Amino acid sequence: MRCSSYCTADSYNIDDLAKYLRSEGLDPKFYDDVIHIHKEHLEEEGLKASGEIFYFPYGCVVFWNFEEEAEQQYLENLKPYEQLTLQEPTYEASVFQYGTETKINEEDDEIILENEDVLIKLSLSHGLSQSVKLDVFEESINRTIQNNRHLPAELAQKGKISLSRKKISQKIGALFAERNSVNLHSDILDTPEFFWRRPRYEPYYQMASQYMDIATRLDILNRRLDAIHELYDILSNELKHAHSSHLEWVIILLIVSEVIMHLLKDFLKWF
């Protein structure tokens, strides 16, 4: 059976989404700020099957036991409730089956569930959804670093950055916004409050988190954020230098103009 995770937007309008799901005859249940629906459906072979969908407010959705075509239809219906839709949604998939205990076979990308407990699936889904959200952060940070990696080399070779003060200011603003965006959303990647009241389910979340290497990837992400911070400092210093140079030239021109005025004044005295 198939388990898949998507991140399609910065966030979802969860309340309006719940109203829509009710209007479609579904029965959305809230687990804190996560919506869960249970859906009976027919598989390609014509056999009856049941699946679970979990909608996370930070723009992620996790499907359990749905065909890809059905997932795409649900994602299409989700679009009106997306805020800041991503141009390129992130996606991850694995398979699952039922067994005697809940575990994850990393070599086969296979999740084994001990039973059909919805809260076990939700606990695992928290880790899976965080992973696809982290994918978005990673891609955004990588893109930002790639677009600006030439600046330190240019500064080392030429002693200055060949951008106007306006362009440098725009770069600083973009770097600050990128870093701030990730920092503001960093709480998404913490252990969810859901487990504060249900501690017996936290090991399932930790299992998914380790499976998706969340901690390692977070450490790498933070290092890359540090790289953006260094770029920010480089550009800020360059902007200060450019401003200082501008002031120096203004002072020099004022002094030169004053000297010229004095010379003209003395010269005119002879006539």
Side-chain angles (χ1 to χ4, degrees):
M1 291 175 283
R2 173 183 168 89
C3 173
S4 57
S5 316
Y6 297 84
C7 183
T8 65
D10 182 70
S11 61
Y12 296 143
N13 189 325
I14 286 293
D15 292 334
D16 287 348
L17 175 59
K19 292 177 184 177
Y20 162 74
L21 294 172
R22 291 189 190 98
S23 73
E24 291 294 303
L26 299 170
D27 182 25
K29 291 184 172 61
F30 275 89
Y31 293 98
D32 293 339
D33 52 359
V34 179
I35 294 178
H36 163 248
I37 62 170
H38 175 85
K39 177 68 176 175
E40 301 287 339
H41 60 276
L42 293 176
E43 294 183 333
E44 290 182 354
E45 297 82 2
L47 300 174
K48 284 188 176 181
S50 61
E52 319 291 338
I53 307 177
F54 298 98
Y55 297 96
F56 292 82
Y58 47 82
C60 298
V61 55
V62 179
F63 296 92
W64 293 83
N65 197 25
F66 283 87
E67 299 291 338
E68 186 173 2
E69 185 177 349
E71 294 172 359
Q72 293 302 320
Q73 185 58 56
Y74 278 103
L75 293 176
E76 188 66 29
N77 297 338
L78 183 57
K79 287 186 181 298
Y81 310 99
E82 294 177 344
Q83 297 174 332
L84 299 179
T85 300
L86 299 178
Q87 290 184 349
E88 297 181 8
T90 56
Y91 159 75
E92 294 173 354
S94 56
V95 296
F96 77 97
Q97 62 176 337
Y98 293 100
T100 56
E101 64 174 325
T102 299
K103 61 182 181 179
I104 299 176
N105 293 328
E106 296 187 17
E107 294 80 5
D108 301 323
D109 284 330
E110 183 181 51
I111 301 171
I112 311 295
L113 300 176
E114 60 199 69
N115 55 47
E116 296 187 17
D117 186 346
V118 169
L119 294 186
I120 292 180
K121 290 180 180 176
L122 174 56
S123 301
L124 292 167
S125 295
H126 271 290
L128 298 176
S129 67
Q130 286 181 343
S131 178
V132 287
K133 191 66 177 182
L134 188 52
D135 284 342
V136 175
F137 293 154
E138 289 168 340
E139 289 178 12
S140 179
I141 293 299
N142 286 342
R143 191 162 51 246
T144 299
I145 291 174
Q146 288 296 323
N147 290 339
N148 294 280
R149 65 184 307 172
H150 67 283
L151 295 176
E154 183 179 346
L155 187 61
Q157 291 175 0
K158 300 179 180 179
K160 64 177 183 178
I161 295 172
S162 56
L163 293 174
S164 66
R165 291 176 61 197
K166 181 179 179 181
K167 287 290 185 182
I168 292 176
S169 297
Q170 288 174 337
K171 287 275 187 183
I172 289 173
L175 288 171
F176 179 79
E178 185 68 46
R179 190 182 64 179
N180 203 38
S181 173
V182 175
N183 287 336
L184 285 174
H185 290 84
S186 60
D187 61 318
I188 292 170
L189 304 175
D190 293 337
T191 301
E193 293 183 14
F194 172 83
F195 300 107
W196 295 3
R197 296 179 299 281
R198 305 171 184 87
R200 79 182 189 89
Y201 286 97
E202 186 173 347
Y204 300 112
Y205 161 72
Q206 297 296 344
M207 186 185 301
S209 181
Q210 291 173 14
Y211 169 54
M212 304 311 298
D213 288 327
I214 299 293
T216 302
R217 290 163 62 194
L218 265 177
D219 182 56
I220 294 172
L221 182 68
N222 285 327
R223 291 181 188 178
R224 288 175 177 167
L225 282 173
D226 288 341
I228 285 184
H229 181 74
E230 289 174 5
L231 282 170
Y232 175 88
D233 286 343
I234 288 171
L235 290 174
S236 294
N237 290 333
E238 182 68 10
L239 187 61
K240 290 176 184 176
H241 175 71
H243 182 64
S244 298
S245 296
H246 177 72
L247 288 178
E248 287 172 3
W249 277 108
V250 169
I251 292 170
I252 290 170
L253 289 173
L254 286 174
I255 292 171
V256 169
S257 63
E258 186 176 356
V259 170
I260 291 173
M261 291 295 293
H262 276 291
L263 289 173
L264 286 173
K265 185 178 179 182
D266 292 340
F267 179 75
L268 291 172
K269 282 183 179 180
W270 293 92
F271 297 93

